[in-house]
Amino acid sequence: MSVRFSTRCPNSDYLGFETSPEVGFDAIFVNDHIIVDSSSRAAPWTNVYDPFVAMSFIAAHTTRIGVGVSVLIMPYRNPVTTAKSLATIDRSRAAG
């Protein structure tokens, strides 16, 4: 049995630190927050990148680290286009 480590992508201001491939993680997960209110509690989530763009960027820059979504707000997304976007990222990773 091997131990695998993952982290969340620094695609918002809530982590407080940056990660990089040199850290040695096996996977990086992104979050999805499309609509954020103006409360102080929501302030760290106002700078969240689009998860599909972020995953594509990460996948294009590594051959070893897996990518995934830890939170995807499905009620705001079309399920067919979401499935196609994720399948495209998956096929691109398999081909690369």
Side-chain angles (χ1 to χ4, degrees):
M1 181 174 99
S2 64
V3 177
R4 303 186 88 183
F5 295 96
S6 65
T7 187
R8 285 188 272 180
C9 175
N11 66 327
S12 70
D13 298 331
Y14 68 93
L15 279 179
F17 66 92
E18 292 189 19
T19 61
S20 70
E22 292 79 25
V23 175
F25 289 104
D26 297 298
I28 293 181
F29 291 87
V30 298
N31 292 322
D32 180 28
H33 289 282
I34 296 174
I35 299 172
V36 179
D37 65 22
S38 61
S39 70
S40 61
R41 191 179 89 184
W45 299 102
T46 59
N47 188 29
V48 175
Y49 303 142
D50 179 84
F52 304 124
V53 173
M55 285 192 305
S56 296
F57 179 83
I58 295 165
H61 286 84
T62 182
T63 57
R64 186 185 62 80
I65 299 173
V67 296
V69 178
S70 61
V71 173
L72 190 63
I73 312 298
M74 284 305 297
Y76 293 130
R77 298 190 173 274
N78 178 302
V80 175
T81 56
T82 298
K84 184 169 184 165
S85 295
L86 292 171
T88 300
I89 293 169
D90 185 50
R91 286 200 45 112
S92 298
R93 287 286 291 178

